[in-house]
Amino acid sequence: MSAFDDYLKAAPQGNAQSFDAYLGASQPVPASAAGSTGAAAPKTAAGQPGTFTSGLIGFGKGLGNTVAGIEQLAGKGASAIGLNGIGNYLTNDANWQLGQIKQGAAAAEAAHPIATGVGNVAGQIAGTAPTMLVGPEYAGLSFAGKVGLGTAQGAAGAAMMPTEGQDFWTDKAKQTAVGGLLGGAMPAVAAGARALGGGLWGAVKPVIQPERYVGEGLAGAMEPAEAAAAAGNIRGAQTFVPGSLPTTAQVAQTPTMVQTEKAAANIPAFKTALAQRGIENNDARWQALMGVAQSPEALKAAQTARSDAVGPLYDLAANQTANVGKAFLNLAQRPAVQQAMQQADQLAANRGETLVWPQQGGSMAISGRALDYTKQALDDMIGSAKASNQGSLANGLQDARSQLVNWTARYIPAQREAAQTFAKMSPPITTMEVGQSIANGLGTRAMNAGGVPEIGLMPFRSALTKAMNSGDAEKYGIDAGALNSLQGIGQDLQRATVSNSIKSPGSDTAYNLAAQGWLARQLYGPGFGGAGNVGKAVGAIGAAALGHPMVGLGIIGGGNKIGQMVGGRLQDRLSGLLMNPDTVLPYLDARAAAAGQQVPGALMQGLLNYGRPAAVNGLLGGLQNSGNK
């Protein structure tokens, strides 16, 4: 049977004696109550509890106060509805617990108040935790909802605190009212603190963290989806021409980036950097083109090597003969082929040569030289037809030429070998011919600020198309690596046009001046000339924190210099972000990720929920203790 059961039997109904008195009369007095330290907390060498132990005692005090307060409230409530025995037991037991807490914590508070205070706060948080059952939806509450919730939390937490006054319910009502008022005031105080802190930080941030300020402002001007697209484009950007570096807008390829670059182009430092980047990229494109074209001497050497290789084979083929059959005779009946044979005879006669042709009723032999001269005559006829835009005629002549070449390669072995050698050695030559043709066409154009002809997109494309569709390049093609380089130049030029993809009405100068406004915040004035005294003072503080040399010149006295200094720093950082795509990636990633985050986060929300009542209870406890002294 428990001590409480014995107490209820011994106590007169409705007039129960103190449970402490009952315990004192029937059990030994605890050593702590007799003034002995007994088996109290471990001591230090000086006879006082250690710091760690003091913290634990403080934690126990905070937790014990809440538990005792709940028990006291339950006891008073039970007595109020007529359950005097239970009520007296709970009330007296709560009072006994409070006495033990005071005795056990007194020495620790005197020896180590900081450790005890930390433990007390932890105990309050743990003690009031059950009343803080609020989830992440708190972030979605209106201000009025937050005030109401704070009031309820403060009142509930305060109601758990014990009271030692004569009129319990009056004291408890005061406690609950104070707790509700403090809890309800918390959202307003927090909002004000955030606004004040945000304003001060917003003022000093451009000085302390100029690149972050501009980077977040640039990314913040985008929707999260646009920021994510820009970051993806930057990471996937290709290098079309070695040494040619695109700007951030050219690889990000989003409207905000293009508009920002266009606006920033009016900033002298960025305008100069942009021009220098253009010069360097143009030089890189010329270097890539020269890698294809090489030099006239290299082209001449390659042509000579090819002639030396195929010349003896062509000479051998010219003296070889083959008997023609029905297929060749049918081909020779075409008017164009007959005309080409006549021109071949004239070409040979002019060179003092005699060609071997099939004779009606005689030898059916034809010489390789006769076949070669006929092919050359067809080549001339095809060229004339193309030049006069006679496409159908050119196609018919091409068909005749192809059949003639195939027949020759089949029946004149030396001719076949010569043609194969010629084709094999031609791509390096045609590659240089194409490159030099393009360079010669573009080399006469206007020069840029670096003294080099500017390669434009449309002139380059036109020159490339013309060079690839003329001469041996059309037949034998060019080196695959060279073709990739030429196509890369075209792609690089095309990407650069992104900078001019957004057109604005009126003059670009007016557009640029107006569009810079997003960077100049009101605090520092539209022209970074300095606005109010607060802005100047905050800027001076930030500059002093950085050890800026202007501090020694009396930066606060020269207030307007603050805005100019800040503006110069921001413009420098903006130029860096717009010229180097990788530097803006962290800000774009943060902006893109912001859409999927809860504000505040789960951890911060939990701290808000549990920390508010702990602070209220701690403050109430301090007020109560000071009032009892």
Side-chain angles (χ1 to χ4, degrees):
M1 182 177 293
S2 68
F4 179 58
D5 292 331
D6 293 339
Y7 163 71
L8 289 179
K9 288 182 177 181
Q13 181 66 27
N15 188 25
Q17 69 179 106
S18 167
F19 187 56
D20 281 340
Y22 172 78
L23 290 177
S26 60
Q27 299 179 21
V29 177
S32 59
S36 172
T37 57
K43 303 293 185 70
T44 62
Q48 298 294 341
T51 302
F52 177 75
T53 304
S54 296
L56 290 179
I57 293 174
F59 181 89
K61 179 184 177 183
L63 183 60
N65 278 340
T66 301
V67 174
I70 295 174
E71 191 173 15
Q72 186 186 60
L73 180 61
K76 293 292 184 181
S79 296
I81 62 175
L83 302 177
N84 294 327
I86 297 176
N88 287 337
Y89 168 73
L90 293 174
T91 301
N92 291 329
D93 190 56
N95 292 336
W96 181 81
Q97 290 184 47
L98 290 171
Q100 296 300 305
I101 291 170
K102 288 182 179 179
Q103 292 179 27
E109 289 178 345
H112 298 287
I114 295 179
T116 305
V118 172
N120 186 43
V121 171
Q124 290 295 336
I125 292 176
T128 60
T131 68
M132 301 301 107
L133 301 179
V134 180
E137 63 273 9
Y138 176 85
L141 291 177
S142 64
F143 179 74
K146 292 178 181 179
V147 170
L149 182 60
T151 301
Q153 290 178 342
M160 294 180 184
M161 293 295 294
T163 179
E164 299 178 5
Q166 298 299 318
D167 189 342
F168 175 81
W169 292 111
T170 300
D171 292 342
K172 185 59 62 179
K174 291 179 180 179
Q175 279 184 327
T176 305
V178 172
L181 288 174
L182 290 176
M186 280 292 181
V189 173
R194 284 194 299 269
L196 178 60
L200 293 175
W201 175 240
V204 77
K205 188 176 180 180
V207 182
I208 302 298
Q209 297 180 341
E211 180 170 314
R212 181 177 177 183
Y213 176 79
V214 177
E216 291 178 348
L218 181 59
M222 305 181 187
E223 294 296 329
E226 183 184 359
N233 290 341
I234 291 174
R235 288 191 170 91
Q238 301 181 50
T239 299
F240 295 124
V241 175
S244 179
L245 303 177
T247 65
T248 301
Q250 290 169 3
V251 292
Q253 299 177 6
T254 62
T256 299
M257 282 294 186
V258 175
Q259 289 175 351
T260 303
E261 182 185 276
K262 189 176 182 66
N266 198 55
I267 299 174
F270 180 68
K271 187 174 185 179
T272 300
L274 204 60
Q276 183 60 39
R277 177 66 60 83
I279 291 172
E280 293 170 355
N281 288 352
N282 190 67
D283 289 344
R285 293 171 192 135
W286 269 110
Q287 185 174 358
L289 180 58
M290 290 299 100
V292 175
Q294 298 189 44
S295 65
E297 292 75 17
L299 174 59
K300 182 66 175 178
Q303 290 172 333
T304 299
R306 183 179 64 180
S307 296
D308 291 344
V310 301
L313 295 175
Y314 279 126
D315 291 340
L316 180 60
N319 296 319
Q320 287 182 346
T321 60
N323 292 327
V324 302
K326 184 177 181 180
F328 183 88
L329 294 176
N330 289 337
L331 176 64
Q333 295 301 314
R334 297 187 183 187
V337 177
Q338 291 181 1
Q339 180 182 348
M341 288 179 173
Q342 294 174 1
Q343 292 181 9
D345 258 338
Q346 294 176 0
L347 179 60
N350 290 332
R351 294 180 178 179
E353 299 173 348
T354 301
L355 303 180
V356 176
W357 300 101
Q359 302 295 320
Q360 188 174 4
S363 173
M364 299 302 291
I366 188 172
S367 65
R369 182 173 281 107
L371 293 168
D372 183 51
Y373 284 177
T374 302
K375 181 187 72 68
Q376 293 182 37
L378 285 172
D379 288 339
D380 293 340
M381 295 166 64
I382 291 171
S384 298
K386 288 183 176 181
S388 59
N389 295 322
Q390 294 177 295
S392 298
L393 176 60
N395 290 337
L397 293 172
Q398 286 279 17
D399 180 70
R401 180 187 183 282
S402 296
Q403 292 192 40
L404 178 66
V405 169
N406 292 338
W407 194 93
T408 303
R410 182 176 181 182
Y411 294 104
I412 306 294
Q415 180 68 28
R416 179 172 62 252
E417 185 178 355
Q420 291 173 346
T421 303
F422 189 92
K424 182 178 180 180
M425 299 183 69
S426 288
I429 296 172
T430 55
T431 297
M432 288 185 280
E433 290 174 341
V434 167
Q436 292 183 22
S437 174
I438 296 173
N440 291 337
L442 298 177
T444 58
R445 303 185 68 84
M447 293 185 176
N448 62 17
V452 177
E454 188 75 26
I455 302 179
L457 175 62
M458 297 311 297
F460 177 81
R461 282 182 173 177
S462 178
L464 176 60
T465 300
K466 181 179 179 181
M468 291 293 294
N469 293 334
S470 61
D472 287 340
E474 183 179 15
K475 179 179 180 182
Y476 300 111
I478 65 174
D479 179 76
L483 179 60
N484 185 64
S485 295
L486 295 175
Q487 290 175 338
I489 294 173
Q491 290 172 304
D492 197 55
L493 289 167
Q494 185 177 31
R495 182 169 60 187
T497 63
V498 170
S499 294
N500 298 318
S501 59
I502 296 180
K503 305 299 181 182
S504 58
S507 68
D508 282 348
T509 300
Y511 174 86
N512 292 339
L513 289 173
Q516 287 184 83
W518 73 270
L519 185 61
R521 295 293 187 254
Q522 183 177 1
L523 184 63
Y524 294 99
F528 297 108
N533 292 329
V534 174
K536 297 172 185 177
V538 171
I541 294 171
L546 293 177
H548 196 279
M550 291 183 67
V551 174
L553 302 177
I555 193 168
I556 296 180
N560 286 339
K561 296 296 183 181
I562 292 289
Q564 296 174 8
M565 181 269 289
V566 172
R569 288 166 62 86
L570 296 181
Q571 289 178 352
D572 288 344
R573 299 311 189 276
L574 176 62
S575 297
L577 292 172
L578 294 178
M579 296 301 294
N580 304 293
D582 289 343
T583 60
V584 80
L585 276 175
Y587 308 109
L588 294 176
D589 290 339
R591 176 59 176 159
Q597 294 178 348
Q598 292 184 353
V599 180
L603 177 59
M604 182 58 68
Q605 187 62 61
L607 292 176
L608 288 174
N609 289 340
Y610 289 99
R612 183 188 300 112
V616 171
N617 288 346
L619 179 57
L620 283 172
L623 291 175
Q624 186 180 41
N625 290 335
S626 64
N628 292 332
K629 289 180 180 178

